[in-house]
Amino acid sequence: MGRWEPDAKGRMIRAALDLFTERGFEQTTAGDIAASAGVTERTFFRHFADKREVLFDGSATLQHTVHDAILAAPGELTALEAALAGMAAGGGLLQERREFAVRRARIVAADPSLQERELLKLAAMTESTAEALRSRGVAEPAASLAAHSAVSVFHVAFASWITAEDPPGFDVCIGRTATSLRALI
């Protein structure tokens, strides 16, 4: 190792995306990522529990952002509207990271274990959303139904956003998808 370089975590994330894309997720080790980023394997494990977490590092921040936005939403909003406000706030975190989101989505789609992990993270966001709605006084089953619906809107809007040739803002994708959901109800 040479001289210390800043942004070890960012370098590891970029290296992981490059290696996962080039070699595949299963064929890449934490040691490979560390070496490519110019850090030790020990440094890697100070930042990430395992190589999967490189791809899911922002999920806790996303979940907290959604939760806090729901709690801060105007009181007159319906449960679904408050939950969708949370999803829009969460989507705002992704807006400037579209290239990362596109690359990450391709890597996740190519590996069943990562797909499973993605579903677990979405389930955690759904529960956090329902908890925020319950904190707002929304009773069951409305809190859970609104949470599941809003996370589904987020999931569908995300897929639309990352596959679009010339994508609108993520908030526009959320709005369009929410409008489609409302038309079904």
Side-chain angles (χ1 to χ4, degrees):
M1 291 298 136
R3 189 174 147 274
W4 176 84
E5 292 181 46
D7 191 27
K9 188 172 187 177
R11 289 194 330 269
M12 287 185 285
I13 290 170
R14 289 186 296 278
L17 284 177
D18 290 344
L19 291 169
F20 294 158
T21 300
E22 178 184 312
R23 299 180 183 175
F25 177 78
E26 287 298 327
Q27 292 71 35
T28 302
T29 67
D32 295 335
I33 296 165
S36 181
V39 299
T40 65
E41 201 167 338
R42 186 177 193 177
T43 298
F44 177 89
F45 286 112
R46 273 199 302 265
H47 290 277
F48 305 105
D50 58 41
K51 68 181 183 176
R52 292 176 307 173
E53 285 307 306
V54 173
L55 297 170
F56 296 97
D57 182 55
S59 61
T61 301
L62 175 64
Q63 187 173 318
H64 291 300
T65 299
V66 168
H67 186 271
D68 292 348
I70 292 167
L71 292 178
E76 68 273 5
L77 295 183
T78 67
L80 181 57
E81 290 168 338
L84 290 170
M87 297 306 128
L93 295 176
L94 301 176
Q95 187 61 47
E96 299 302 318
R97 301 183 68 197
R98 185 170 183 277
E99 181 184 338
F100 170 82
V102 169
R103 291 183 73 196
R104 179 193 171 280
R106 287 183 186 136
I107 293 164
V108 169
D111 188 276
S113 71
L114 294 175
Q115 293 170 26
E116 179 181 29
R117 182 76 167 178
E118 179 97 319
L119 291 173
L120 290 171
K121 295 293 186 176
L122 286 171
M125 188 160 74
T126 301
E127 181 50 40
S128 177
T129 298
E131 188 276 320
L133 291 170
R134 288 189 292 270
S135 293
R136 287 174 58 93
V138 178
E140 287 297 341
S144 290
L145 287 168
H148 279 273
S149 297
V151 172
S152 291
V153 164
F154 181 89
H155 189 70
V156 171
F158 180 79
S160 171
W161 182 64
I162 63 167
T163 58
E165 286 287 322
D166 185 23
F170 192 81
D171 58 334
V172 172
C173 290
I174 290 269
R176 288 177 183 166
T177 308
T179 298
S180 295
L181 173 67
R182 287 184 189 105
L184 292 173
I185 297 176

